[in-house]
Amino acid sequence: AQLALLLRRNDASLFAAAAITDFADGYIARKWNLVSMTGKFLDPLADKLIVMASLVMLAEMGRLPAWIAVIIIAREIAITGLRALASAEGIIIAAGAGGKLKTAFQLVGLIGLIIHYEYVTDWWIASDSINYHEVGLYLLMVSVVLSLWSGWGYFWGFLKGIEERASQEHQDAPTPS
């Protein structure tokens, strides 16, 4: 039992370290203006891969209902495709605050689901038990709502971009004499 606890904590620590270093990498790149085209492509891809792999693993282990994994993965694929289509059309859809908040809830929720069990936490003056599975599942459900909300924002931004481009093309068209 102690070995299983140690392995879960190591898995959660490794996942948390990946999430923290990903955040730090993006922050540093933006702050010091080290943003590159390669980074713009690879950073979101790495984010999506770690989240998707974790969702599939947790669903397979029975720690996560498959429908949650399907919604999150489908949203990620749809938005990635939409952003690629928008880019090909010359439309830039910037990442919004909702997407960043969604990612934060996903990452912390996944850490809770990786830890999985209820543990007693000693706060020196008192102790309390935390059911990491329940907390993780709750946070992931919040992330599903945020995923759908921010996904709608991307689609809306795409539609507005198409409409603005069509309006601009209409204004730039030569008028018949």
Side-chain angles (χ1 to χ4, degrees):
Q2 290 291 40
L3 178 60
L5 171 62
L6 180 63
L7 290 174
R8 272 190 295 283
R9 286 185 179 164
N10 286 341
D11 292 344
S13 296
L14 184 61
F15 185 88
I20 291 167
T21 56
D22 175 61
F23 170 78
D25 170 59
Y27 176 78
I28 291 168
R30 286 185 298 275
K31 181 175 173 128
W32 291 347
N33 199 24
L34 299 171
V35 177
S36 69
M37 289 304 289
T38 305
K40 285 182 181 181
F41 171 73
L42 290 179
D43 186 61
L45 179 63
D47 294 348
K48 288 170 183 32
L49 288 175
I50 192 171
V51 168
M52 289 182 192
S54 299
L55 290 168
V56 169
M57 176 198 72
L58 290 166
E60 174 66 24
M61 294 172 72
R63 295 185 186 180
L64 176 69
W67 66 267
I68 291 177
V70 168
I71 288 173
I72 293 172
I73 292 170
R75 184 262 187 210
E76 295 301 332
I77 292 170
I79 297 307
T80 299
L82 180 72
R83 290 182 87 179
L85 177 63
S87 178
E89 294 292 325
I91 299 168
I92 304 300
I93 304 173
K100 294 184 187 304
L101 189 60
K102 173 252 337 163
T103 300
F105 272 90
Q106 278 179 358
L107 295 175
V108 176
L110 287 170
I111 291 168
L113 289 174
I114 291 169
I115 294 173
H116 183 58
Y117 290 108
E118 183 172 344
Y119 295 108
V120 175
T121 304
D122 186 9
W123 303 102
W124 294 290
I125 55 175
S127 63
D128 194 16
S129 65
I130 299 173
N131 186 326
Y132 285 92
H133 180 84
E134 285 182 9
V135 171
L137 195 56
Y138 172 76
L139 293 173
L140 219 51
M141 286 184 190
V142 170
S143 86
V144 166
V145 172
L146 292 170
S147 290
L148 296 173
W149 175 62
S150 67
W152 171 251
Y154 281 109
F155 277 99
W156 185 251
F158 177 71
L159 293 174
K160 286 182 71 166
I162 291 289
E163 183 179 291
E164 288 171 9
R165 191 181 77 188
S167 174
Q168 185 65 37
E169 287 173 355
H170 180 70
Q171 289 176 356
D172 293 344
T175 55
S177 10

